[in-house]
Amino acid sequence: MNHALFRRGLTVATALFTLAVGVGGPPAAVADGSGSAPYLPEPTGLHAVGTTTLHLTDGSRSDPWVPEVSARELMVSLWYPAAAPSGQRAQYMTPTESELLLEEGGITGVPLDVLSTTRTNAFADARPAGRVRGLPLVVLSPGFSKPRTTLTNLAEELASHGYIVAAIDHTYESVATTFPDGRVATCAACEVPHDEAFWNRLVTGRAADVSFVLDELTGPQAKWSGARLIDPSRIAMAGHSVGGASAVTSMLADSRVRVGIDVDGSTQIPIPEGGLSRPFLFLGRQAQYSPGSGGGAVATWERDWERLTGWKRWLVVAGAEHASFTDVGLLAEQLGIDIGADLPAARASEIVRRYTRAFLELHLRHRPQPLLDKPSQRYPQVKLCTPDTSTCV
């Protein structure tokens, strides 16, 4: 992973946030409370979406970032097809989580609890719907320091199309993880020197988190009442930034993860010479991940591309920034915050949802997806790359 570029991207985004909000003041509608709350786009699938939260404890290992914590605790959000749109819409995040996430971005010109008011589309603890062992499972891993909730838009979309989605908060790697008893774990890993050993340790730990969550959802003593709906032979993993890099590591560590997606994350631990034969998708910024454009982040994709021996695609998105691929871009735009992207946030969101779903439909449901085989007139911002010739069309 090119950590200098990664950190510089975060710094640029923070500076843009500050210029847009902290210096010039918040948008008037936000400042005086008269504006609408932030919202996530509606899912496009036929199913109502339910969501619930699991608190899981792995007693077999201590926490990798706080060794005095003798067991690894994880918070996991699940989204799934619901029998009916019943009950209350789920809260996006708590006021404390909103405050800590905004503080991390240096955003001081909006109410610190504003993200907790974000309107979601999923209903809390709605009854799951589906056939026993009939639904694929998709595990989501967020970027470093970001909470799992920043992938909610994608999770709701997939659940509306008949997937079960599990997003993991990797404890002490997020600005805030809230446990059921009210404890809030902050980012202990942010205080550790970010050398090569750190990043290796991080993606290895995330792979262990993923395997543990799969045990808890598909094992004989499943921790969720709807777990019987999961088809354990159809499991995917997708992640953003270092969460995307962790998808590679998880696939290498756990054969249950049948397919993977890396969204805008330079990869960390190289794929072994023996290769990885399971389907994989790279999806990233054109400015950062166009093949043949030099060293840095793109070099990690070029290295691993050669060792991906199964179905694979390399897609780049023109005009996108790092935050464009998550809820951060959507919510920032609604709050009047400029992340530096030329591509509108709603369009970026549509692209991420559509191409992710196409990949999963092809490989977990075996439904042909011409969208993945050639350039699309509907999505001209998406370029299909051929690394061998360093071309993207």
Side-chain angles (χ1 to χ4, degrees):
M1 177 177 291
N2 189 312
H3 310 302
L5 285 174
F6 176 76
R7 287 191 292 271
R8 186 162 70 232
L10 292 180
T11 302
V12 169
T14 299
L16 288 166
F17 288 171
T18 305
L19 285 171
V21 186
V23 175
V30 175
D32 64 15
S34 62
S36 299
Y39 65 92
L40 299 180
E42 291 186 3
T44 64
L46 298 177
H47 300 282
V49 178
T51 186
T52 194
T53 302
L54 300 180
H55 175 213
L56 304 177
T57 302
D58 184 358
S60 69
R61 56 189 174 124
S62 60
D63 192 274
W65 306 112
V66 184
E68 58 268 28
V69 177
S70 60
R72 177 69 163 163
E73 289 183 87
L74 297 173
M75 294 301 299
V76 178
S77 289
L78 297 175
W79 291 265
Y80 50 86
S86 59
Q88 297 292 319
R89 289 179 186 256
Q91 186 179 40
Y92 184 70
M93 62 173 59
T94 70
T96 297
E97 290 166 345
S98 173
E99 178 177 349
L100 292 174
L101 185 58
L102 291 174
E103 286 181 349
E104 184 212 24
I107 302 171
T108 58
V110 296
L112 289 177
D113 67 347
V114 67
L115 297 180
S116 70
T117 69
T118 300
R119 179 181 172 86
T120 70
N121 301 287
F123 296 88
D125 299 315
R127 184 165 61 88
R131 294 183 295 105
V132 173
R133 296 203 167 199
L135 303 181
L137 171 65
V138 183
V139 178
L140 298 181
S141 181
F144 182 64
S145 82
K146 298 301 182 284
R148 67 193 187 278
T149 51
T150 57
L151 300 174
T152 299
N153 175 44
L154 175 60
E156 290 182 341
E157 169 72 0
L158 294 177
S160 78
H161 285 273
Y163 293 85
I164 294 173
V165 182
I168 304 172
D169 244 7
H170 303 279
T171 311
Y172 298 115
E173 299 171 24
S174 168
V175 292
T177 299
T178 304
F179 293 105
D181 61 6
R183 288 176 296 130
V184 179
T186 55
C187 190
C190 292
E191 308 304 319
V192 177
H194 293 176
D195 55 14
E196 200 70 18
F198 165 83
W199 295 104
N200 288 343
R201 177 181 171 193
L202 188 142
V203 296
T204 301
R206 289 198 174 197
D209 287 347
V210 169
S211 290
F212 171 66
V213 169
L214 293 182
D215 291 343
E216 298 292 273
L217 288 177
T218 66
Q221 304 296 324
K223 297 300 189 295
W224 176 48
S225 60
R228 67 189 183 282
L229 304 179
I230 296 172
D231 180 351
S233 71
R234 292 188 290 165
I235 295 174
M237 181 177 172
H240 176 249
S241 195
V242 76
S246 301
V248 176
T249 315
S250 293
M251 291 180 74
L252 293 171
D254 196 325
S255 62
R256 291 176 295 183
V257 183
R258 300 304 306 161
V259 303
I261 306 174
D262 178 354
V263 180
D264 212 54
S266 55
T267 52
Q268 184 58 32
I269 298 175
I271 295 173
E273 290 184 5
L276 178 63
S277 61
R278 281 164 271 160
F280 202 85
L281 172 66
F282 283 126
L283 175 66
R285 289 166 284 170
Q286 183 181 43
Q288 187 77 29
Y289 288 104
S290 292
S293 57
V298 68
T300 69
W301 285 19
E302 290 171 331
R303 175 200 66 205
D304 286 343
W305 180 262
E306 296 300 320
R307 295 181 178 179
L308 289 168
T309 59
W311 188 101
K312 57 186 177 180
R313 290 290 185 275
W314 181 320
L315 305 175
V316 294
V317 184
E321 286 295 330
H322 194 53
S324 300
F325 297 94
T326 73
D327 299 358
V328 173
L330 280 168
L331 301 179
E333 185 176 276
Q334 292 174 33
L335 295 173
I337 300 168
D338 183 6
I339 65 167
D342 295 325
L343 185 65
R347 183 62 164 171
S349 166
E350 181 184 356
I351 286 169
V352 172
R353 299 199 308 183
R354 185 65 188 91
Y355 278 84
T356 298
R357 186 160 55 83
F359 175 80
L360 297 173
E361 289 287 293
L362 175 62
H363 295 293
L364 297 184
R365 288 181 167 146
H366 306 293
R367 296 172 180 169
Q369 299 294 318
L371 181 66
L372 298 172
D373 294 328
K374 59 184 179 181
S376 168
Q377 291 184 346
R378 182 172 180 180
Y379 300 108
Q381 301 89 353
V382 180
K383 312 297 181 183
L384 177 63
C385 296
T386 305
D388 294 345
T389 57
S390 298
T391 56
C392 298
V393 295

